[in-house]
Amino acid sequence: MASPCQSCGACCVSYRVTLPRAELDTSPGGWVPATLTDPYTPTTACMREHPETPSRCIALAGTVGQWVSCTIYAQRPSACADFAPLAMIGIGDEACNEARRRCGLPPLTGL
Ligand code: SF4
Ligand code: SF4
Protein backbone atom coordinates (compact mmCIF):
# COMPACT_ATOMS: atom_id res chain seq x y z
CA MET A 1 0.00 0.00 0.00
CA ALA A 2 1.29 3.48 -0.89
CA SER A 3 2.27 5.77 1.94
CA PRO A 4 -0.19 8.64 2.57
CA CYS A 5 2.84 10.94 2.23
CA GLN A 6 3.07 10.15 -1.48
CA SER A 7 -0.28 11.85 -2.05
CA CYS A 8 0.23 14.64 0.49
CA GLY A 9 3.38 16.80 0.76
CA ALA A 10 1.68 19.26 3.09
CA CYS A 11 4.61 19.46 5.51
CA CYS A 12 6.97 20.31 2.64
CA VAL A 13 4.93 23.44 1.82
CA SER A 14 4.00 24.42 5.38
CA TYR A 15 7.14 24.50 7.48
CA ARG A 16 10.60 25.95 7.00
CA VAL A 17 13.12 23.14 7.20
CA THR A 18 16.28 24.10 9.01
CA LEU A 19 19.31 21.90 9.33
CA PRO A 20 22.73 22.01 10.93
CA ARG A 21 25.36 23.12 8.44
CA ALA A 22 27.14 19.88 9.28
CA GLU A 23 24.48 18.10 7.19
CA LEU A 24 25.38 20.03 4.04
CA ASP A 25 27.36 18.12 1.45
CA THR A 26 29.95 20.88 1.61
CA SER A 27 30.77 19.75 5.16
CA PRO A 28 32.76 16.59 5.91
CA GLY A 29 30.28 13.72 6.18
CA GLY A 30 27.36 15.90 5.11
CA TRP A 31 24.77 14.76 2.56
CA VAL A 32 22.18 17.48 1.88
CA PRO A 33 22.83 19.31 -1.44
CA ALA A 34 24.04 22.73 -0.34
CA THR A 35 22.95 24.18 -3.67
CA LEU A 36 19.32 23.73 -2.58
CA THR A 37 19.74 25.54 0.71
CA ASP A 38 20.22 29.07 1.97
CA PRO A 39 22.15 30.27 5.02
CA TYR A 40 19.88 30.67 8.03
CA THR A 41 21.94 31.26 11.16
CA PRO A 42 25.71 31.06 11.63
CA THR A 43 25.38 27.33 12.38
CA THR A 44 22.30 26.36 10.39
CA ALA A 45 20.94 26.43 6.87
CA CYS A 46 17.41 26.09 5.57
CA MET A 47 15.92 24.42 2.55
CA ARG A 48 15.39 27.03 -0.15
CA GLU A 49 11.85 28.11 -0.89
CA HIS A 50 10.38 27.68 -4.35
CA PRO A 51 10.75 30.99 -6.20
CA GLU A 52 7.12 31.08 -7.28
CA THR A 53 5.58 29.51 -4.18
CA PRO A 54 7.01 30.84 -0.92
CA SER A 55 7.13 28.26 1.88
CA ARG A 56 7.24 25.41 -0.64
CA CYS A 57 10.52 23.50 -0.41
CA ILE A 58 12.48 23.73 -3.66
CA ALA A 59 13.07 19.96 -3.60
CA LEU A 60 9.40 19.00 -3.70
CA ALA A 61 8.00 17.75 -7.01
CA GLY A 62 4.38 17.14 -7.84
CA THR A 63 1.05 18.53 -6.68
CA VAL A 64 0.22 18.74 -3.00
CA GLY A 65 -2.73 16.54 -2.11
CA GLN A 66 -2.41 14.51 -5.29
CA TRP A 67 1.06 13.14 -5.97
CA VAL A 68 4.35 14.38 -4.61
CA SER A 69 7.94 13.29 -4.41
CA CYS A 70 11.02 14.58 -2.62
CA THR A 71 13.63 14.88 -5.34
CA ILE A 72 16.43 14.49 -2.79
CA TYR A 73 14.77 11.78 -0.72
CA ALA A 74 17.97 9.86 0.03
CA GLN A 75 19.75 13.13 0.83
CA ARG A 76 16.98 14.95 2.69
CA PRO A 77 17.76 16.70 5.99
CA SER A 78 17.40 14.69 9.17
CA ALA A 79 14.55 17.01 10.19
CA CYS A 80 12.59 15.67 7.22
CA ALA A 81 13.55 12.05 7.81
CA ASP A 82 12.50 12.33 11.46
CA PHE A 83 9.21 14.17 10.82
CA ALA A 84 5.98 12.35 11.72
CA PRO A 85 7.52 8.87 11.54
CA LEU A 86 4.17 7.05 11.68
CA ALA A 87 2.54 9.06 8.91
CA MET A 88 3.73 6.51 6.37
CA ILE A 89 1.41 3.98 7.99
CA GLY A 90 -1.45 6.42 8.29
CA ILE A 91 -0.91 7.83 11.77
CA GLY A 92 -0.24 11.56 11.81
CA ASP A 93 1.05 13.56 14.74
CA GLU A 94 0.12 17.12 15.66
CA ALA A 95 2.53 18.83 13.25
CA CYS A 96 1.63 16.49 10.40
CA ASN A 97 -2.07 16.99 10.85
CA GLU A 98 -1.67 20.75 11.23
CA ALA A 99 0.15 20.87 7.89
CA ARG A 100 -2.56 18.75 6.32
CA ARG A 101 -5.24 21.03 7.78
CA ARG A 102 -3.53 24.08 6.24
CA CYS A 103 -3.65 22.34 2.87
CA GLY A 104 -7.28 21.32 3.19
CA LEU A 105 -6.51 17.66 3.79
CA PRO A 106 -8.11 15.52 6.51
CA PRO A 107 -6.06 14.39 9.51
CA LEU A 108 -4.37 11.02 9.52
CA THR A 109 -6.02 9.26 12.42
CA GLY A 110 -4.81 5.74 11.85
CA LEU A 111 -8.39 4.56 11.61
S1 SF4 B 1 4.30 13.59 7.13
FE1 SF4 B 1 2.13 14.18 7.19
S2 SF4 B 1 2.07 16.25 6.29
FE2 SF4 B 1 4.03 15.31 5.70
S3 SF4 B 1 3.67 14.34 3.69
FE3 SF4 B 1 3.33 12.76 5.26
S4 SF4 B 1 1.12 12.84 5.66
FE4 SF4 B 1 1.68 14.77 4.65
S1 SF4 C 1 13.82 18.15 1.50
FE1 SF4 C 1 12.27 16.76 0.70
S2 SF4 C 1 11.19 15.98 2.50
FE2 SF4 C 1 12.32 17.81 3.15
S3 SF4 C 1 10.85 19.53 2.95
FE3 SF4 C 1 12.02 19.38 1.04
S4 SF4 C 1 10.77 18.10 -0.32
FE4 SF4 C 1 10.05 17.79 1.78
Side-chain angles (χ1 to χ4, degrees):
M1 196 176 95
S3 161
C5 296
Q6 291 176 272
S7 57
C8 178
C11 51
C12 306
V13 302
S14 297
Y15 302 126
R16 183 194 302 274
V17 175
T18 60
L19 57 145
R21 292 196 180 196
E23 293 190 5
L24 298 176
D25 61 3
T26 48
S27 298
W31 61 93
V32 179
T35 52
L36 299 181
T37 69
D38 288 315
Y40 191 57
T41 71
T43 57
T44 64
C46 62
M47 291 304 298
R48 185 168 299 151
E49 292 181 335
H50 192 283
E52 293 166 9
T53 312
S55 86
R56 177 182 173 123
C57 176
I58 191 75
L60 186 70
T63 302
V64 172
Q66 295 183 23
W67 174 89
V68 292
S69 175
C70 173
T71 58
I72 57 163
Y73 188 78
Q75 295 172 274
R76 68 200 190 286
S78 56
C80 302
D82 295 342
F83 187 84
L86 298 182
M88 67 178 67
I89 58 169
I91 303 172
D93 61 14
E94 189 174 332
C96 165
N97 284 328
E98 170 60 19
R100 288 176 61 87
R101 186 191 66 75
R102 292 184 196 181
C103 292
L105 298 169
L108 292 181
T109 61
L111 299 176

